[in-house]
Amino acid sequence: MSTSSSAPVHTPHTPIGRVLAIAVALAVVVGVVVLAFAWPSVTAEPHNLPVAVAGPEQSVTALEDAVQAKQPDVLAFQTVDDRDAAVAVIEKREVYGAIILGATPGVAPEVLTSSAANLAVSQLLSGLGGTLEAQINAQAAAAAAAAGAPAPAPAHITVAVTDVVPLASTDPRGTGLTAAMFPLVMGGMIGGIAISIAVIGALRRVLAVVVYSAVGGVLLTGILAGWFGVLQGDFWTQAAVIALALAAIAAPITGVVALIGRAGIAVGPIVMMLFANPISGAAMPREFLPGVWGQVGQWFPPGAAANLLRDVSYFPQADASFSWLVLAGWTVGGLLLSVIGHFRTAGGAEPDELAAHEDDPVSATA
């Protein structure tokens, strides 16, 4: 007669050392996430914002000295010939705005802004216009008083502020355009991760990335441009930008997975979300970021996509070739990694299905 033990099987408890290590590691991860997202806004400070200036040389020099004394290194003036030249460089997105100084005494300056380039900088320049107006009228009053003649008080001079490239009425503060970038980055990451997990075969992942990006570009443009009115300009150009942005984020993830396996999925959260997104300049001008980080951010898909979407929406005359090349480079590079991973794993002959299962111990033993 045989007896069987009915004693319950207890799963061993996790060792205390491992528990502590996991807890500390998770706390560090949370700290890194908070640092990545809070650091840009906490350290943001405008420096060397490009602004055009036109007028007599003596007046321009006096303005530069006055601004430098009051707000050191905030504005970087670029001299242009006249108002038309100033408008041209604003529309090409080479400067954030301009100050037009009167060529003759008594003629009020004009401040040109571009809220579509950045609302915060536009407001800063508008405030500078108010300061100029107060100074001009104070100087006129002082000159009248010094003359000592019982003449009428000088007329109040108003400095006009003109928004050369305004934001759309459907997005008057630009919050929609800024907010659209985070879902776009998340969409590219989610697409790359989901395709890496759900699709078997490196070359099939290439096809999935291409189709996902194309359909996603049309769908998101329909929502952002057609429904919310956040994006302006040609629909298909906007769709091409969004599709390329999705591919530029998703393709490197699937490409690295094709080379090193599922561990490559970490490429998205680490590179795109924790590093590239905070320095993308999507939420604030890249000149607000410390050091060269604003420029570095333009070499990654989040920064290039944010810059390109603003260009094609509001600045069709701007030279956007760099942003197009960055997105195309990340896309092509990611897809090439997938192809290389396919031939490395499959030896150029083994079907993608079998090659993909080699990294999966469950599938490999099935």
Side-chain angles (χ1 to χ4, degrees):
M1 184 176 184
S2 62
T3 58
S4 59
S5 175
S6 60
V9 178
H10 294 284
T11 302
H13 290 177
T14 304
I16 292 298
R18 186 178 180 186
V19 171
L20 296 177
I22 292 174
V24 171
L26 290 174
V28 171
V29 170
V30 172
V32 171
V33 172
V34 172
L35 178 63
F37 284 93
W39 169 74
S41 58
V42 171
T43 59
E45 185 177 353
H47 56 278
N48 295 327
L49 296 167
V51 174
V53 59
E57 182 178 355
Q58 184 177 358
S59 300
V60 169
T61 301
L63 172 67
E64 292 176 348
D65 293 342
V67 172
Q68 182 66 17
K70 187 174 182 179
Q71 297 177 309
D73 301 324
V74 172
L75 301 181
F77 287 108
Q78 301 179 13
T79 303
V80 295
D81 293 335
D82 50 28
R83 188 184 189 279
D84 290 340
V87 171
V89 292
I90 292 174
E91 292 177 341
K92 292 179 181 177
R93 210 181 169 196
E94 296 177 3
V95 297
Y96 285 101
I99 299 174
I100 312 301
L101 301 174
T104 57
V107 177
E110 181 184 10
V111 176
L112 307 180
T113 65
S114 174
S115 58
N118 184 264
L119 186 60
V121 179
S122 178
Q123 292 172 342
L124 186 152
L125 292 176
S126 297
L128 181 59
T131 301
L132 286 174
E133 181 176 313
Q135 290 177 346
I136 291 172
N137 286 289
Q139 291 171 357
H156 182 84
I157 296 176
T158 301
V159 175
V161 177
T162 305
D163 195 348
V164 176
V165 187
L167 286 161
S169 59
T170 49
D171 188 23
R173 300 193 63 81
T175 52
L177 183 59
T178 300
M181 285 311 304
F182 186 76
L184 184 59
V185 174
M186 287 295 296
M189 286 176 44
I190 292 172
I193 293 172
I195 290 171
S196 298
I197 294 173
V199 178
I200 298 174
L203 297 185
R204 285 169 173 77
R205 288 171 182 160
V206 170
L207 176 62
V209 168
V210 172
V211 175
Y212 166 73
S213 301
V215 175
V218 174
L219 178 61
L220 292 181
T221 305
I223 295 172
L224 295 174
W227 187 0
F228 294 154
V230 169
L231 303 179
Q232 307 299 309
D234 180 68
F235 177 91
W236 293 109
T237 303
Q238 301 285 0
V241 173
I242 294 178
L244 193 57
L246 291 173
I249 297 172
I253 298 174
T254 59
V256 175
V257 168
L259 283 180
I260 66 175
R262 294 287 174 86
I265 290 176
V267 168
I270 293 175
V271 176
M272 300 299 178
M273 183 60 66
L274 296 183
F275 177 73
N277 192 61
I279 61 174
S280 65
M284 66 187 70
R286 52 181 176 264
E287 290 85 1
F288 277 50
L289 296 171
V292 298
W293 288 112
Q295 301 299 327
V296 172
Q298 302 306 302
W299 288 84
F300 290 84
N307 189 63
L308 188 54
L309 273 178
R310 196 175 292 272
D311 276 351
V312 298
S313 288
Y314 291 104
F315 299 91
Q317 298 181 40
D319 182 7
S321 56
F322 177 76
S323 297
W324 282 109
L325 289 174
V326 169
L327 294 179
W330 280 86
T331 300
V332 173
L335 297 180
L336 286 177
L337 287 179
S338 291
V339 174
I340 294 171
H342 161 67
F343 285 104
R344 181 190 67 82
T345 305
E350 188 177 4
D352 284 347
E353 292 88 341
L354 298 179
H357 280 297
E358 288 185 357
D359 292 333
D360 189 341
V362 176
S363 300
T365 58

